[in-house]
Amino acid sequence: ASRSTFEAKAFRDIVLIDEFFVTLTDSVRVTLVLIVDQASRLSVTWPTLKHAVDADDIAEALERAWLSWAGSMKVLRCDPAKAHVAAAVERGCRAHGATPDITPGESHNPQAVVERRVLAWKEVFVRVNRECQLTEKDRIWAWTSRIDAALNMHLSTLLGTQSGALAGRAQTAQGT
């Protein structure tokens, strides 16, 4: 797919997706799929103990961690360097009526939002892991969701609140 010239002005206009991993205290690797709304900067992660994820895992992450509560986006963007992510984006867009934007790395870095969020997520994880000494026995969704919440709450000081931003979009859609 070609690069979109569409700009994110509202929630779900452009959603970005990427993957990364972190290593727990017991050396277990956790792979995370990160999904970020470009306009609001709201993000969610989908964790798995799989050492590497494939296109099916990326598609499942998108469906469970994003589409189940936020609905479809207008544009779904990823970096083509990860072929399995790009394949999942193409398939997910066909299934949910979105436009895929597989953005070349040499372009004017439209992936910067998600890349910065990955760095922030890892920074918070390092602190949490140092304090809590996370292992495979710890409930993966418990600590990943708390890191997501912490990162989203930090942004709420800039936007009012994430839920307020979403409610504002709903009110605008209803004409109130």
Side-chain angles (χ1 to χ4, degrees), residues 5-83:
T5 57
F6 182 70
E7 291 184 33
K9 295 184 176 138
F11 182 69
R12 298 183 313 161
D13 279 352
I14 298 176
V15 171
L16 306 109
I17 190 167
D18 203 357
E19 66 169 341
F20 65 101
F21 72 91
V22 295
T23 304
L24 304 177
T25 304
D26 58 359
S27 300
V28 170
R29 177 177 164 158
V30 177
T31 303
L32 298 120
V33 177
L34 178 70
I35 306 166
V36 182
D37 175 69
Q38 187 166 343
S40 70
R41 304 298 201 260
L42 183 129
S43 65
V44 294
T45 55
W46 182 81
T48 180
L49 290 175
K50 287 178 121 181
H51 197 66
V53 294
D54 59 22
D56 289 337
D57 297 318
I58 299 292
E60 182 178 353
L62 185 61
E63 289 167 355
R64 288 180 182 246
W66 187 266
L67 294 167
S68 64
W69 67 273
S72 190
M73 64 292 300
K74 292 179 181 172
V75 173
L76 182 57
R77 181 177 289 161
C78 74
D79 184 336
K82 298 175 181 172

Side-chain angles (χ1 to χ4, degrees), residues 148-161:
D148 284 345
L151 288 170
N152 288 328
M153 290 303 284
H154 171 72
L155 293 171
S156 69
T157 60
L158 300 173
L159 299 172
T161 65

Side-chain angles (χ1 to χ4, degrees), residues 121-133:
W121 210 99
K122 285 182 172 183
E123 186 177 311
V124 172
F125 167 78
V126 167
R127 291 177 181 163
V128 169
N129 194 37
R130 189 176 324 141
E131 182 69 28
C132 299
Q133 298 292 298

Side-chain angles (χ1 to χ4, degrees), residues 160-172:
T161 65
Q162 291 296 336
S163 60
L166 299 178
R169 176 152 165 54
Q171 288 174 346
T172 302

